[in-house]
Amino acid sequence: MPEGHSVHRIARQFAANFVGDACALSSPQGRFAEGAASLDGRTMTASRAIGKHLLLDFDGRWLHVHLGIYGAWDFAGAIAEDATLRSAGGRAGQTGMRGTVADGAFEHSLASIGAPRLARLRMGEAESALEATDFPPPPVGQVRVRILTPTAVADLRGPTVCEVLEADEVEAVAERLGPDPEALFESKAAAERRFALRAGRSRQPIGQLLMDQTVVAGIGNVYRAELLFRARISPHRTGRSLSQDELRGLWRDWVRLLRIGVETGQMLTIDGLRGARLERAMASRADRHWVYKREGLPCLRCGTTVALEVMQQRKLYWCPGCQL
């Protein structure tokens, strides 16, 4: 399942190439025909993400999408690119893990792109770039909804959630989710305070709380493992056992790592990557993480064997030597 950085990148893609245009919506597979008809012809006026939820505003009526495990967006036409999306056939794997060419990745985000060019790419579980031969391309496979403008098209496949919401229902979605530092629904100070209060009064393990989307929105297996390792915090400590300084430190590190993920398209969690080290990290998962997928190997910091266990049916990676 894509973590929060992927969904924010998708929101940026819509903001760069769809917002402000009247959109034709259809459901090639037919499963979303009524919803598509209710949005067809409206202008997309905003594109926002909260955690793993994408919200597209069509003149006050919203399309709400949660990709889940199998969902993905395919974009074609005059679409925005950055280093990750330009990678030759670059496919990122289940959580954007396969890597890309780091040709100035930090400087080429979807927020500061040059002129878009004719291309075709997939965003979601994996990202890949392919040359387009015509526009718009015919729908391929089970397309739940197609969003089409005169210059760009987005096809959605396999989402867990695809529905039309009114403004008050969007507010309800935002209220039930935990804070997201990249979302625009509350101030940064309020988001930090809300996370620290929610996590700090819980008797559940912090490793479980970080995956609870009502406590903090957008964190998945990779960021959970890496955040706790960077903070030297055991995933088994309860939220109540952590000080406010520890909880706020976790939040502030999440703010930083999420921004790097949004800007680069990769979950880079080792600091100080420059030059050849950055290129290796962008290209290879093994060079960008401290403990994720390193079970059975020596910890890069203390040499203790990295542990793998299951917490609430999800794999948990951590270092018993560093995380106390």
Side-chain angles (χ1 to χ4, degrees), residues 98-158:
R98 288 196 184 173
T100 187
V101 177
D103 55 343
F106 283 100
E107 290 72 40
H108 293 282
S109 73
L110 290 176
S112 57
I113 55 170
R117 70 178 179 86
L118 190 66
R120 187 171 183 174
L121 59 105
R122 170 165 291 184
M123 298 185 74
E125 290 305 314
E127 295 184 6
S128 60
L130 302 171
E131 291 300 321
T133 56
D134 57 4
F135 180 83
V140 176
Q142 297 297 306
V143 176
R144 184 76 55 88
V145 61
R146 164 167 280 205
I147 303 174
L148 177 66
T149 76
T151 58
V153 62
D155 287 342
L156 174 65
R157 293 178 177 80

Side-chain angles (χ1 to χ4, degrees), residues 43-258:
T43 297
M44 188 183 296
T45 54
S47 172
R48 304 170 77 173
I50 311 176
K52 301 175 183 181
H53 298 255
L54 178 69
L55 296 158
L56 303 176
D57 186 359
F58 292 88
D59 286 332
R61 184 170 287 172
W62 296 73
L63 177 64
H64 172 217
V65 173
H66 189 299
L67 292 177
I69 297 174
Y70 303 108
W73 285 96
D74 288 313
F75 292 92
I79 49 85
E81 291 183 303
D82 67 359
T84 295
L85 304 182
R86 282 198 302 273
S87 294
R91 186 170 185 180
Q94 287 294 316
T95 50
M97 306 296 286
R98 288 196 184 173
T100 187
V101 177
D103 55 343
F106 283 100
E107 290 72 40
H108 293 282
S109 73
L110 290 176
S112 57
I113 55 170
R117 70 178 179 86
L118 190 66
R120 187 171 183 174
L121 59 105
R122 170 165 291 184
M123 298 185 74
E125 290 305 314
E127 295 184 6
S128 60
L130 302 171
E131 291 300 321
T133 56
D134 57 4
F135 180 83
V140 176
Q142 297 297 306
V143 176
R144 184 76 55 88
V145 61
R146 164 167 280 205
I147 303 174
L148 177 66
T149 76
T151 58
V153 62
D155 287 342
L156 174 65
R157 293 178 177 80
T160 296
V161 175
C162 178
E163 61 182 355
V164 177
L165 299 179
E166 301 299 334
D168 60 334
E169 295 173 305
V170 170
E171 291 181 8
V173 170
E175 288 175 0
R176 75 170 181 257
L177 290 171
D180 175 346
E182 288 287 319
L184 304 175
F185 285 83
E186 60 188 327
S187 71
K188 292 181 179 179
E192 179 178 317
R193 183 168 57 250
R194 189 154 64 100
F195 164 72
L197 288 174
R198 285 191 179 185
R201 61 176 176 241
S202 175
R203 296 180 184 275
Q204 294 180 343
I206 187 63
Q208 182 175 323
L209 292 170
L210 290 182
M211 297 282 279
D212 184 341
Q213 299 301 298
T214 68
V215 175
V216 54
I219 294 177
N221 240 15
V222 180
Y223 281 127
R224 184 257 302 270
E226 296 294 301
L227 281 165
L228 290 173
F229 177 85
R230 287 163 61 93
R232 295 178 178 265
I233 293 173
S234 167
H236 300 290
R237 287 182 61 186
T238 66
R240 291 186 64 176
S241 76
L242 297 173
S243 69
Q244 284 293 298
D245 285 345
E246 287 176 311
L247 289 168
R248 288 177 181 268
L250 276 172
W251 172 263
R252 290 168 188 173
D253 201 30
W254 170 227
V255 172
R256 183 172 180 274
L257 293 184
L258 177 59

